Amino acid sequence: MLSHHTPEQDLPSHTDRERDRQRLDAALNDFLAKGGQVVEVKPTERAVGGPSFVISAQREELRQLAEAKPATEVPDEDLVRLLRARALLGDTLRTASKRLQQPLDRCHSLARAHRLPFKVGYVKGGSRT
């Protein structure tokens, strides 16, 4: 062995790859044994009922949370959570209040109190929120 050679820099060998394949195969078998399902979708097809692609799983969860239909009377804590999700998705405060079917004044006061980072949008009269 040469003095400048370190074993950490070695490329993965054929046996390392085979070991990884076996580990993945065992994990997949465990997943299936616990009742999991694998649905294969071809690259040219789209999953039934799903988006064409998901940029981030966390962002997708936020979108689903934000688009959930709230009851007519929503507690402040839940509304703040929904408003935060809409803000992170890039909505304006006016759009968020319409989508959540909540009064703009209530949404505005909660957004201001919790310093929610809403996108600035045009408001009739030239002022900005």
Side-chain angles (χ1 to χ4, degrees):
M1 181 149 54
L2 300 173
S3 61
H4 64 274
H5 177 75
T6 59
E8 294 85 33
Q9 294 175 342
D10 288 343
L11 294 174
S13 66
H14 184 66
T15 57
D16 291 338
R17 289 182 185 168
E18 187 60 35
R19 187 177 32 224
D20 289 341
R21 283 188 191 107
Q22 290 172 353
R23 193 172 339 158
L24 283 173
D25 190 37
L28 179 61
N29 289 335
D30 288 343
F31 174 72
L32 294 174
K34 292 177 183 175
Q37 265 184 325
V38 176
V39 178
E40 291 187 35
V41 179
K42 294 180 184 174
T44 57
E45 294 178 356
R46 198 175 157 194
V48 178
S52 55
F53 62 92
V54 176
I55 296 172
S56 160
Q58 181 183 11
R59 184 162 240 188
E60 180 66 18
E61 290 172 10
L62 288 174
R63 184 187 66 79
Q64 289 173 353
L65 176 66
E67 290 178 354
K69 290 281 185 184
T72 54
E73 185 60 36
V74 179
D76 284 351
E77 301 85 30
D78 292 340
L79 185 56
V80 168
R81 226 176 288 133
L82 291 169
L83 286 171
R84 183 172 285 122
R86 294 281 4 144
L88 292 174
L89 288 170
D91 281 354
T92 62
L93 183 59
R94 185 177 302 276
T95 304
S97 72
K98 284 181 184 178
R99 288 190 180 177
L100 298 173
Q101 300 172 351
Q102 297 297 319
L104 181 59
D105 294 336
R106 182 179 179 209
C107 292
H108 181 72
S109 64
L110 288 173
R112 185 168 279 212
H114 293 274
R115 296 182 180 194
L116 299 178
F118 277 99
K119 183 172 100 175
V120 176
Y122 175 76
V123 177
K124 189 174 183 179
S127 64
R128 293 184 168 267
T129 57

